[in-house]
């Protein structure tokens, strides 16, 4: 039983990494490079934290990947991405 609690404590300490790992697992891996994938992951993570609303991380990742070029060219902004995520 003690081993379980140690594992749980370790997971708690690495919570941010787990969220980013989840985001990485949900993005479309057809990006040009790993560096580009990590940029998307970090963008999604930061947007998720800053949004201060309940957003489905997988949906957020899908939308960011879909609009990644527009995001990079400042043609679509964070608040618009959040609005798209919240529209069902």
């Amino acid at each position: 039983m003690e081993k379980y609690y140690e594992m749980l404590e370790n997971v708690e300490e690495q919570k941010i990494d787990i969220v980013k790992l989840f985001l990485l697992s949900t993005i479309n891996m057809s990006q040009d490079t790993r560096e580009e994938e990590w940029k998307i992951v970090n963008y999604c993570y930061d947007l998720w934290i800053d949004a201060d609303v309940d957003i489905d991380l997988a949906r957020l990742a899908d939308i960011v990947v879909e609009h990644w070029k527009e995001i990079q060219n400042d043609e679509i902004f964070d608040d618009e991405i959040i609005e798209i995520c919240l529209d069902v």
Side-chain angles (χ1 to χ4, degrees):
M1 191 62 138
E2 187 65 32
K3 184 178 179 179
Y4 170 76
Y5 287 110
E6 288 174 18
M7 289 171 50
L8 197 57
E9 189 173 299
N10 190 26
V11 166
E12 187 66 30
E13 290 172 4
Q14 297 178 18
K15 189 177 289 183
I16 291 173
D17 294 335
I18 291 170
V19 171
K20 287 186 177 183
L21 182 61
F22 175 77
L23 285 166
L24 184 61
S25 73
T26 61
I27 67 170
N28 181 353
M29 295 302 193
S30 66
Q31 302 306 312
D32 295 332
T33 64
R34 284 186 182 182
E35 183 179 298
E36 193 74 10
E37 291 170 352
W38 277 109
K39 285 181 184 178
I40 293 170
V41 166
N42 288 324
Y43 176 84
C44 288
Y45 180 81
D46 292 342
L47 184 59
W48 178 66
I49 294 294
D50 292 342
D52 198 29
V53 293
D54 187 22
I55 295 177
D56 180 327
L57 283 173
R59 179 164 167 74
L60 173 62
D62 288 344
I63 290 167
V64 168
V65 167
E66 181 181 332
H67 295 283
W68 184 240
K69 295 299 180 196
E70 296 167 291
I71 292 167
Q72 290 180 305
N73 293 328
D74 291 328
E75 296 170 2
I76 190 169
F77 300 99
D78 294 354
D79 56 337
E80 293 172 292
I81 296 293
I82 293 168
E83 286 296 320
I84 294 169
C85 288
L86 297 175
D87 279 349
V88 178

